[in-house]
Amino acid sequence: MVTIEQYTLKGIHFLNEDALIIHEQAGLYGVLDGVSSVVPYLSDKKETGGYLAAQAVKDFFESLDQVGQLAEHAAAANDKLRELMQQAQVDMEKKDGLWGTALALRMNCRISKRLTRSA
């Protein structure tokens, strides 16, 4: 059993593009750091591409019924992110317009205590 501490810090954008994956039933935990495109993007809700990317991948992993091969899940999450960008009419041929997120995961983990801090 481990203790997890939740802490994120807003970067240079007006939104915090970080996200935390907490899927207790699956023993899956992770952190995401959204990456906004070089070409600025804001949704109708004033959400950056990096924010949307991190939230989409978070939602994907937290919706899994069973956790299998992480590489396969990451590829499927990437497909979902691609669909989201296509729906937002992002030009997929222009790499400087794409959104992304860094991802670190830990699986087969059970927590004994959770601490939350905010900045």
Side-chain angles (χ1 to χ4, degrees):
M1 295 259 201
V2 297
T3 299
I4 63 168
E5 184 172 349
Q6 296 173 231
Y7 178 79
T8 64
L9 180 64
K10 184 176 78 62
I12 61 173
H13 294 284
F14 59 93
L15 286 175
N16 187 345
E17 294 181 337
D18 298 340
L20 300 171
I21 295 169
I22 301 173
H23 192 336
E24 290 187 47
Q25 289 135 332
L28 180 66
Y29 301 88
V31 61
L32 299 141
D33 185 359
V35 179
S36 287
S37 55
V38 174
V39 176
Y41 174 85
L42 274 181
S43 71
D44 294 340
K45 296 179 183 177
K46 305 292 188 226
E47 297 165 327
T48 63
Y51 175 85
L52 292 167
Q55 294 301 314
V57 174
K58 168 190 169 66
D59 293 345
F60 175 84
F61 277 97
E62 288 184 346
S63 72
L64 292 174
D65 291 327
Q66 291 184 323
V67 178
Q69 295 294 318
L70 290 181
E72 291 175 14
H73 291 315
N78 195 53
D79 290 342
K80 294 289 184 186
L81 179 54
R82 183 180 211 35
E83 290 172 16
L84 187 62
M85 286 188 286
Q86 289 172 330
Q87 289 170 5
Q89 299 179 346
V90 171
D91 185 345
M92 303 304 286
E93 298 300 317
K94 294 186 178 179
K95 303 299 182 200
D96 59 354
L98 302 181
W99 320 330
T101 188
L103 168 66
L105 290 171
R106 176 157 182 180
M107 61 185 290
N108 299 323
C109 182
R110 299 287 174 229
I111 62 169
S112 59
K113 187 176 185 184
R114 183 186 306 167
L115 306 171
T116 304
R117 295 187 315 161
S118 59

